[in-house]
Amino acid sequence: MKSINISEKFKLFNEHWTPKKIGELNGQQLLLAKLKGEFIWHTHENEDELFYIMKGSLIIEFRDKTVELNEGELFIIPKGVEHKPIAKEEVHVLLFEPLAIKHTGNVISNLTVETFENI
């Protein structure tokens, strides 16, 4: 058991759309990610997804609406809901997701990460 300094962990990487694992609990993983630009439309058929905005603003497009999240806010996307995150400027997020999740959901692309790096 040890404390985790999230700000220090964000300093350890620069890649966008490549989540890094900082811990696990109860079948869930805690991931940090830096986002910039547009991601892809995708769905997580079996998993909910939680975004907590640590720094910046994130837009999440849905087929029927758009949500803007700001620093200190969190948002849960229910399983099966198609979405597309967009970061006009770099955004730092903390993600809570099941261990088996693929961050591109049901879509395989050049952004798909098979195994999240532990930092």
Side-chain angles (χ1 to χ4, degrees):
M1 292 185 303
K2 63 179 182 173
S3 64
I4 298 170
N5 184 312
I6 293 175
S7 296
E8 291 300 316
K9 294 290 186 182
F10 272 113
K11 293 177 184 177
L12 297 177
F13 66 99
N14 293 310
E15 304 90 12
H16 295 123
W17 306 109
T18 307
K20 309 295 183 192
K21 188 186 298 188
I22 60 168
E24 293 182 12
L25 74 157
N26 302 319
Q28 297 280 314
Q29 56 193 339
L30 286 80
L31 303 169
L32 299 181
K34 292 181 179 180
L35 314 178
K36 188 171 182 186
E38 292 192 18
F39 203 53
I40 56 173
W41 281 103
H42 66 286
T43 304
H44 302 281
E45 294 298 330
N46 301 306
E47 305 95 3
D48 299 328
E49 188 174 26
L50 184 148
F51 288 82
Y52 177 75
I53 310 304
M54 303 290 298
K55 176 183 171 185
S57 296
L58 180 67
I59 295 166
I60 302 179
E61 288 188 355
F62 299 93
R63 293 299 182 182
D64 62 344
K65 67 179 179 178
T66 299
V67 173
E68 183 170 346
L69 304 172
N70 296 299
E71 221 167 276
E73 294 182 324
L74 67 82
F75 194 81
I76 299 169
I77 300 173
K79 65 184 172 189
V81 175
E82 190 174 27
H83 58 285
K84 176 182 167 183
I86 301 169
K88 292 180 181 176
E89 301 294 329
E90 186 173 85
V91 178
H92 294 185
V93 298
L94 173 64
L95 305 163
F96 287 80
E97 301 179 336
L99 291 171
I101 200 168
K102 299 275 191 238
H103 78 303
T104 55
N106 61 347
V107 176
I108 302 299
S109 81
N110 62 328
L111 297 172
T112 303
V113 175
E114 294 295 328
T115 305
F116 299 117
E117 176 186 358
N118 287 296
I119 60 169

PDB file of all heavy atoms in Angstrom, residues 13 15 24 26 44 50 54-55 58 70-71 77-78 80-81 85 97 104 106 108 113:
ATOM      1  N   PHE A  13       4.370  10.687 -18.828  1.00  0.00           N
ATOM      2  CA  PHE A  13       4.079  10.344 -20.225  1.00  0.00           C
ATOM      3  C   PHE A  13       3.524  11.553 -20.976  1.00  0.00           C
ATOM      4  O   PHE A  13       3.032  12.496 -20.368  1.00  0.00           O
ATOM      5  CB  PHE A  13       3.112   9.153 -20.312  1.00  0.00           C
ATOM      6  CG  PHE A  13       1.722   9.426 -19.781  1.00  0.00           C
ATOM      7  CD1 PHE A  13       0.689   9.737 -20.658  1.00  0.00           C
ATOM      8  CD2 PHE A  13       1.445   9.358 -18.424  1.00  0.00           C
ATOM      9  CE1 PHE A  13      -0.590   9.969 -20.185  1.00  0.00           C
ATOM     10  CE2 PHE A  13       0.164   9.593 -17.945  1.00  0.00           C
ATOM     11  CZ  PHE A  13      -0.853   9.901 -18.823  1.00  0.00           C
ATOM     12  N   GLU A  15       2.062  10.844 -24.451  1.00  0.00           N
ATOM     13  CA  GLU A  15       1.209  10.337 -25.526  1.00  0.00           C
ATOM     14  C   GLU A  15      -0.252  10.699 -25.273  1.00  0.00           C
ATOM     15  O   GLU A  15      -0.706  10.706 -24.140  1.00  0.00           O
ATOM     16  CB  GLU A  15       1.308   8.806 -25.638  1.00  0.00           C
ATOM     17  CG  GLU A  15       2.690   8.264 -25.831  1.00  0.00           C
ATOM     18  CD  GLU A  15       3.389   7.954 -24.507  1.00  0.00           C
ATOM     19  OE1 GLU A  15       2.739   7.943 -23.449  1.00  0.00           O
ATOM     20  OE2 GLU A  15       4.607   7.734 -24.557  1.00  0.00           O
ATOM     21  N   GLU A  24      -5.566  -0.862  -9.410  1.00  0.00           N
ATOM     22  CA  GLU A  24      -6.718  -1.740  -9.606  1.00  0.00           C
ATOM     23  C   GLU A  24      -7.461  -1.877  -8.289  1.00  0.00           C
ATOM     24  O   GLU A  24      -6.842  -1.840  -7.221  1.00  0.00           O
ATOM     25  CB  GLU A  24      -6.274  -3.143 -10.032  1.00  0.00           C
ATOM     26  CG  GLU A  24      -5.638  -3.227 -11.381  1.00  0.00           C
ATOM     27  CD  GLU A  24      -5.254  -4.656 -11.763  1.00  0.00           C
ATOM     28  OE1 GLU A  24      -5.673  -5.622 -11.081  1.00  0.00           O
ATOM     29  OE2 GLU A  24      -4.526  -4.801 -12.754  1.00  0.00           O
ATOM     30  N   ASN A  26     -11.226  -4.086  -6.979  1.00  0.00           N
ATOM     31  CA  ASN A  26     -12.508  -4.750  -7.179  1.00  0.00           C
ATOM     32  C   ASN A  26     -12.861  -4.982  -8.648  1.00  0.00           C
ATOM     33  O   ASN A  26     -13.985  -4.723  -9.073  1.00  0.00           O
ATOM     34  CB  ASN A  26     -13.623  -3.956  -6.488  1.00  0.00           C
ATOM     35  CG  ASN A  26     -13.378  -3.773  -5.014  1.00  0.00           C
ATOM     36  OD1 ASN A  26     -12.935  -4.691  -4.332  1.00  0.00           O
ATOM     37  ND2 ASN A  26     -13.637  -2.584  -4.517  1.00  0.00           N
ATOM     38  N   HIS A  44     -18.972   0.587 -25.819  1.00  0.00           N
ATOM     39  CA  HIS A  44     -18.566  -0.492 -24.909  1.00  0.00           C
ATOM     40  C   HIS A  44     -19.843  -1.280 -24.610  1.00  0.00           C
ATOM     41  O   HIS A  44     -20.696  -0.821 -23.864  1.00  0.00           O
ATOM     42  CB  HIS A  44     -17.949   0.067 -23.624  1.00  0.00           C
ATOM     43  CG  HIS A  44     -16.769   0.942 -23.879  1.00  0.00           C
ATOM     44  ND1 HIS A  44     -15.516   0.452 -24.150  1.00  0.00           N
ATOM     45  CD2 HIS A  44     -16.670   2.286 -23.940  1.00  0.00           C
ATOM     46  CE1 HIS A  44     -14.691   1.450 -24.348  1.00  0.00           C
ATOM     47  NE2 HIS A  44     -15.360   2.585 -24.231  1.00  0.00           N
ATOM     48  N   LEU A  50     -16.346   5.650 -16.830  1.00  0.00           N
ATOM     49  CA  LEU A  50     -16.368   6.872 -16.037  1.00  0.00           C
ATOM     50  C   LEU A  50     -15.187   7.755 -16.406  1.00  0.00           C
ATOM     51  O   LEU A  50     -14.041   7.311 -16.383  1.00  0.00           O
ATOM     52  CB  LEU A  50     -16.315   6.555 -14.541  1.00  0.00           C
ATOM     53  CG  LEU A  50     -16.429   7.753 -13.599  1.00  0.00           C
ATOM     54  CD1 LEU A  50     -17.135   7.345 -12.323  1.00  0.00           C
ATOM     55  CD2 LEU A  50     -15.085   8.366 -13.274  1.00  0.00           C
ATOM     56  N   MET A  54      -9.469  15.955 -14.800  1.00  0.00           N
ATOM     57  CA  MET A  54      -8.462  16.498 -13.879  1.00  0.00           C
ATOM     58  C   MET A  54      -7.983  17.881 -14.333  1.00  0.00           C
ATOM     59  O   MET A  54      -7.685  18.732 -13.521  1.00  0.00           O
ATOM     60  CB  MET A  54      -7.254  15.554 -13.800  1.00  0.00           C
ATOM     61  CG  MET A  54      -7.555  14.136 -13.393  1.00  0.00           C
ATOM     62  SD  MET A  54      -8.027  13.974 -11.673  1.00  0.00           S
ATOM     63  CE  MET A  54      -6.560  14.547 -10.849  1.00  0.00           C
ATOM     64  N   LYS A  55      -7.894  18.062 -15.661  1.00  0.00           N
ATOM     65  CA  LYS A  55      -7.377  19.319 -16.212  1.00  0.00           C
ATOM     66  C   LYS A  55      -7.979  19.522 -17.596  1.00  0.00           C
ATOM     67  O   LYS A  55      -7.997  18.600 -18.408  1.00  0.00           O
ATOM     68  CB  LYS A  55      -5.850  19.255 -16.314  1.00  0.00           C
ATOM     69  CG  LYS A  55      -5.198  20.460 -16.947  1.00  0.00           C
ATOM     70  CD  LYS A  55      -3.690  20.258 -17.063  1.00  0.00           C
ATOM     71  CE  LYS A  55      -3.071  21.354 -17.900  1.00  0.00           C
ATOM     72  NZ  LYS A  55      -1.644  21.109 -18.131  1.00  0.00           N
ATOM     73  N   LEU A  58     -13.412  18.575 -21.809  1.00  0.00           N
ATOM     74  CA  LEU A  58     -13.609  17.480 -22.750  1.00  0.00           C
ATOM     75  C   LEU A  58     -15.034  17.537 -23.287  1.00  0.00           C
ATOM     76  O   LEU A  58     -15.989  17.692 -22.526  1.00  0.00           O
ATOM     77  CB  LEU A  58     -13.375  16.133 -22.064  1.00  0.00           C
ATOM     78  CG  LEU A  58     -13.545  14.888 -22.933  1.00  0.00           C
ATOM     79  CD1 LEU A  58     -12.458  14.835 -24.017  1.00  0.00           C
ATOM     80  CD2 LEU A  58     -13.508  13.630 -22.079  1.00  0.00           C
ATOM     81  N   ASN A  70     -15.941  19.842 -17.625  1.00  0.00           N
ATOM     82  CA  ASN A  70     -14.862  20.733 -17.210  1.00  0.00           C
ATOM     83  C   ASN A  70     -14.128  20.164 -16.003  1.00  0.00           C
ATOM     84  O   ASN A  70     -14.584  19.217 -15.367  1.00  0.00           O
ATOM     85  CB  ASN A  70     -15.439  22.113 -16.897  1.00  0.00           C
ATOM     86  CG  ASN A  70     -16.038  22.751 -18.132  1.00  0.00           C
ATOM     87  OD1 ASN A  70     -15.351  22.988 -19.107  1.00  0.00           O
ATOM     88  ND2 ASN A  70     -17.345  22.994 -18.110  1.00  0.00           N
ATOM     89  N   GLU A  71     -13.007  20.774 -15.700  1.00  0.00           N
ATOM     90  CA  GLU A  71     -12.170  20.355 -14.581  1.00  0.00           C
ATOM     91  C   GLU A  71     -13.014  20.112 -13.328  1.00  0.00           C
ATOM     92  O   GLU A  71     -13.871  20.920 -12.981  1.00  0.00           O
ATOM     93  CB  GLU A  71     -11.162  21.472 -14.297  1.00  0.00           C
ATOM     94  CG  GLU A  71      -9.788  20.983 -13.978  1.00  0.00           C
ATOM     95  CD  GLU A  71      -8.788  22.117 -14.014  1.00  0.00           C
ATOM     96  OE1 GLU A  71      -8.311  22.451 -15.112  1.00  0.00           O
ATOM     97  OE2 GLU A  71      -8.487  22.642 -12.924  1.00  0.00           O
ATOM     98  N   ILE A  77     -20.695   7.075 -18.758  1.00  0.00           N
ATOM     99  CA  ILE A  77     -21.335   6.674 -20.008  1.00  0.00           C
ATOM    100  C   ILE A  77     -21.813   5.233 -19.831  1.00  0.00           C
ATOM    101  O   ILE A  77     -21.005   4.332 -19.600  1.00  0.00           O
ATOM    102  CB  ILE A  77     -20.362   6.774 -21.195  1.00  0.00           C
ATOM    103  CG1 ILE A  77     -19.879   8.219 -21.332  1.00  0.00           C
ATOM    104  CG2 ILE A  77     -21.032   6.284 -22.480  1.00  0.00           C
ATOM    105  CD1 ILE A  77     -18.798   8.423 -22.360  1.00  0.00           C
ATOM    106  N   PRO A  78     -23.124   5.018 -19.912  1.00  0.00           N
ATOM    107  CA  PRO A  78     -23.648   3.655 -19.740  1.00  0.00           C
ATOM    108  C   PRO A  78     -23.207   2.727 -20.868  1.00  0.00           C
ATOM    109  O   PRO A  78     -22.985   3.165 -22.000  1.00  0.00           O
ATOM    110  CB  PRO A  78     -25.169   3.843 -19.776  1.00  0.00           C
ATOM    111  CG  PRO A  78     -25.404   5.295 -19.527  1.00  0.00           C
ATOM    112  CD  PRO A  78     -24.200   6.001 -20.084  1.00  0.00           C
ATOM    113  N   GLY A  80     -23.160   0.292 -23.909  1.00  0.00           N
ATOM    114  CA  GLY A  80     -23.984   0.269 -25.103  1.00  0.00           C
ATOM    115  C   GLY A  80     -24.256   1.617 -25.748  1.00  0.00           C
ATOM    116  O   GLY A  80     -24.903   1.670 -26.785  1.00  0.00           O
ATOM    117  N   VAL A  81     -23.769   2.715 -25.147  1.00  0.00           N
ATOM    118  CA  VAL A  81     -24.025   4.045 -25.697  1.00  0.00           C
ATOM    119  C   VAL A  81     -22.840   4.477 -26.558  1.00  0.00           C
ATOM    120  O   VAL A  81     -21.707   4.600 -26.072  1.00  0.00           O
ATOM    121  CB  VAL A  81     -24.271   5.079 -24.569  1.00  0.00           C
ATOM    122  CG1 VAL A  81     -24.425   6.482 -25.156  1.00  0.00           C
ATOM    123  CG2 VAL A  81     -25.508   4.692 -23.762  1.00  0.00           C
ATOM    124  N   PRO A  85     -15.194  11.082 -27.816  1.00  0.00           N
ATOM    125  CA  PRO A  85     -14.569  12.171 -27.071  1.00  0.00           C
ATOM    126  C   PRO A  85     -13.777  13.108 -27.998  1.00  0.00           C
ATOM    127  O   PRO A  85     -13.153  12.653 -28.961  1.00  0.00           O
ATOM    128  CB  PRO A  85     -13.615  11.454 -26.102  1.00  0.00           C
ATOM    129  CG  PRO A  85     -14.080  10.037 -26.078  1.00  0.00           C
ATOM    130  CD  PRO A  85     -14.658   9.783 -27.433  1.00  0.00           C
ATOM    131  N   GLU A  97     -12.528   1.916 -15.124  1.00  0.00           N
ATOM    132  CA  GLU A  97     -13.068   0.981 -16.105  1.00  0.00           C
ATOM    133  C   GLU A  97     -12.798  -0.454 -15.677  1.00  0.00           C
ATOM    134  O   GLU A  97     -11.810  -0.732 -14.995  1.00  0.00           O
ATOM    135  CB  GLU A  97     -12.418   1.222 -17.476  1.00  0.00           C
ATOM    136  CG  GLU A  97     -12.624   2.613 -17.998  1.00  0.00           C
ATOM    137  CD  GLU A  97     -11.955   2.867 -19.337  1.00  0.00           C
ATOM    138  OE1 GLU A  97     -10.979   2.171 -19.679  1.00  0.00           O
ATOM    139  OE2 GLU A  97     -12.428   3.753 -20.040  1.00  0.00           O
ATOM    140  N   THR A 104     -11.112   1.460 -27.145  1.00  0.00           N
ATOM    141  CA  THR A 104     -11.811   1.771 -28.398  1.00  0.00           C
ATOM    142  C   THR A 104     -13.071   0.921 -28.544  1.00  0.00           C
ATOM    143  O   THR A 104     -13.682   0.890 -29.605  1.00  0.00           O
ATOM    144  CB  THR A 104     -10.885   1.565 -29.623  1.00  0.00           C
ATOM    145  OG1 THR A 104     -10.362   0.238 -29.594  1.00  0.00           O
ATOM    146  CG2 THR A 104      -9.758   2.574 -29.651  1.00  0.00           C
ATOM    147  N   ASN A 106     -15.861  -1.430 -29.338  1.00  0.00           N
ATOM    148  CA  ASN A 106     -16.149  -2.401 -30.378  1.00  0.00           C
ATOM    149  C   ASN A 106     -15.438  -2.099 -31.694  1.00  0.00           C
ATOM    150  O   ASN A 106     -15.694  -2.738 -32.704  1.00  0.00           O
ATOM    151  CB  ASN A 106     -17.663  -2.475 -30.615  1.00  0.00           C
ATOM    152  CG  ASN A 106     -18.237  -1.135 -31.065  1.00  0.00           C
ATOM    153  OD1 ASN A 106     -17.584  -0.096 -30.987  1.00  0.00           O
ATOM    154  ND2 ASN A 106     -19.477  -1.159 -31.511  1.00  0.00           N
ATOM    155  N   ILE A 108     -11.717  -1.575 -33.732  1.00  0.00           N
ATOM    156  CA  ILE A 108     -10.269  -1.762 -33.726  1.00  0.00           C
ATOM    157  C   ILE A 108      -9.682  -0.713 -34.664  1.00  0.00           C
ATOM    158  O   ILE A 108     -10.092  -0.602 -35.812  1.00  0.00           O
ATOM    159  CB  ILE A 108      -9.872  -3.176 -34.203  1.00  0.00           C
ATOM    160  CG1 ILE A 108     -10.527  -4.241 -33.325  1.00  0.00           C
ATOM    161  CG2 ILE A 108      -8.355  -3.333 -34.224  1.00  0.00           C
ATOM    162  CD1 ILE A 108     -10.146  -4.193 -31.866  1.00  0.00           C
ATOM    163  N   VAL A 113      -5.344   0.118 -27.779  1.00  0.00           N
ATOM    164  CA  VAL A 113      -4.265  -0.358 -26.908  1.00  0.00           C
ATOM    165  C   VAL A 113      -4.735  -1.676 -26.313  1.00  0.00           C
ATOM    166  O   VAL A 113      -5.785  -1.740 -25.682  1.00  0.00           O
ATOM    167  CB  VAL A 113      -3.959   0.660 -25.778  1.00  0.00           C
ATOM    168  CG1 VAL A 113      -2.926   0.099 -24.812  1.00  0.00           C
ATOM    169  CG2 VAL A 113      -3.500   1.993 -26.360  1.00  0.00           C
TER     170      VAL A 113
END
